Amino acid sequence: MSGRLIVLTDLDDTLFASERSLPTGAERARMVAVDGEGRPLSYQTPQQQRLWNMFRAEADIIVPVTGRTSYALDRVSLDFDAEYSVVSHGALLLQHGQVIPQWQSRLASELDTAKRNIGLARQELAAVVAEEFPATTLSLRELSDLEVPVYLSIKAPDFLPPGLHDRLVAVAEAHDLSLHRNARNAALRPSYTCKAATCVYLLEHVLQRQPQDTVIALGDSLSDLKFMAASDMAVIPTRSQIWHQLKELAQ
């Protein structure tokens, strides 16, 4: 059969899951990731292991597409044998663990502005939290990876306070950042922190996708749908955010 099989895959909650995220009673086939202290963190179920082994045996190219930073990806023990990876929610396109030169050139003119905008957004949000949500323990952290500003992280120990959403939207718009959030976490991102745009660039300009190639994408969250749209077919776990949304639409 002509053409390559190219797999673009999210990692956490798709190919494996942390102890907290595993389904109740799920069997742990093997440990595949550790935390920053080297302690066991994430495991594959037998089903995830079988899926991984199948793609590992058949695919010509497997590209991790992950919110993990470059250094957090290093803590995953799966043998991707991958020349390329998309990390930090798409901010970085790596080749053998280093930002590829053409991607670095694309980002060069935006880095100073992104760093300034993220810093200003952090200052404004810190004031908002102190004034309007003093009883809430929120952490605000500016995240960079390989000297590239990635996003402003907003985390809560349990759930983000409901009234915070409108403030996040306003701050994001004021500082030319996009908002991504779930129940516990939010992120304000510069435009280049985008899995979808990075995957399209990888397929079209780096891998030089051909009509005979088959691209399969794997993901679990609604935010993964945009990068998965660059594929010919998609694979989603049936306990995922995407699946639950589809079930609601189908009712």
Side-chain angles (χ1 to χ4, degrees):
M1 184 179 297
S2 62
R4 299 166 295 178
L5 174 56
I6 301 170
V7 176
L8 308 175
T9 182
D10 176 56
L11 301 181
D12 294 83
D13 298 322
T14 297
L15 288 182
F16 51 79
S18 67
E19 187 81 36
R20 185 177 68 176
S21 298
L22 283 168
T24 302
E27 181 181 342
R28 290 139 181 80
R30 59 176 172 177
M31 191 267 292
V32 296
V34 297
D35 65 14
E37 304 300 322
R39 296 171 298 204
L41 177 66
S42 298
Y43 302 83
Q44 282 188 322
T45 64
Q47 295 76 20
Q48 289 170 323
Q49 185 179 33
R50 180 179 288 273
L51 181 70
W52 165 250
N53 289 341
M54 180 180 68
F55 280 121
R56 185 70 183 83
E58 298 295 331
D60 297 286
I61 301 170
I62 300 178
V63 180
V65 182
T66 177
R68 286 174 171 259
T69 58
S70 59
Y71 46 88
L73 180 59
D74 289 340
R75 298 198 291 264
V76 177
S77 62
L78 294 179
D79 179 19
F80 292 101
D81 193 23
E83 181 175 2
Y84 298 100
S85 54
V86 175
V87 301
S88 287
H89 295 284
L92 299 180
L93 175 55
L94 307 182
Q95 183 177 24
H96 300 306
Q98 299 297 318
V99 183
I100 65 173
Q102 56 264 53
W103 190 253
Q104 188 75 52
S105 297
R106 282 172 61 91
L107 298 185
S109 63
E110 301 183 55
L111 297 184
D112 289 342
T113 299
K115 184 175 182 178
R116 182 176 66 252
N117 288 348
I118 290 172
L120 291 172
R122 184 181 186 278
Q123 293 176 20
E124 186 172 339
L125 273 177
V128 167
V129 170
E131 181 178 349
E132 300 183 29
F133 306 95
T136 304
T137 303
L138 292 174
S139 68
L140 304 179
R141 180 186 172 204
E142 298 177 42
L143 184 72
S144 294
D145 190 5
L146 298 177
E147 301 183 357
V148 172
V150 175
Y151 59 84
L152 173 63
S153 169
I154 303 97
K155 290 188 176 183
D158 295 311
F159 298 96
L160 295 174
L164 182 63
H165 178 76
D166 290 343
R167 293 288 185 256
L168 291 174
V169 170
V171 171
E173 291 179 352
H175 299 288
D176 196 25
L177 301 169
S178 63
L179 170 63
H180 169 73
R181 64 159 293 175
N182 56 34
R184 292 182 175 85
N185 308 313
L188 301 186
R189 305 173 178 174
S191 60
Y192 58 74
T193 301
C194 175
K195 285 182 178 181
T198 308
C199 286
V200 169
Y201 184 87
L202 171 67
L203 290 171
E204 302 302 328
H205 299 287
V206 180
L207 298 179
Q208 297 182 344
R209 180 181 188 176
Q210 301 299 310
Q212 299 84 7
D213 291 339
T214 300
V215 180
I216 298 178
L218 289 76
D220 71 290
S221 69
L222 291 173
S223 62
D224 290 329
L225 284 172
K226 291 183 180 180
F227 95 77
M228 295 169 74
S231 68
D232 299 301
M233 286 167 270
V235 177
I236 57 174
T238 53
R239 289 185 174 87
S240 66
Q241 186 184 40
I242 297 175
W243 182 261
H244 291 311
Q245 187 72 24
L246 288 174
K247 285 180 65 178
E248 289 183 11
L249 290 173
Q251 292 177 353

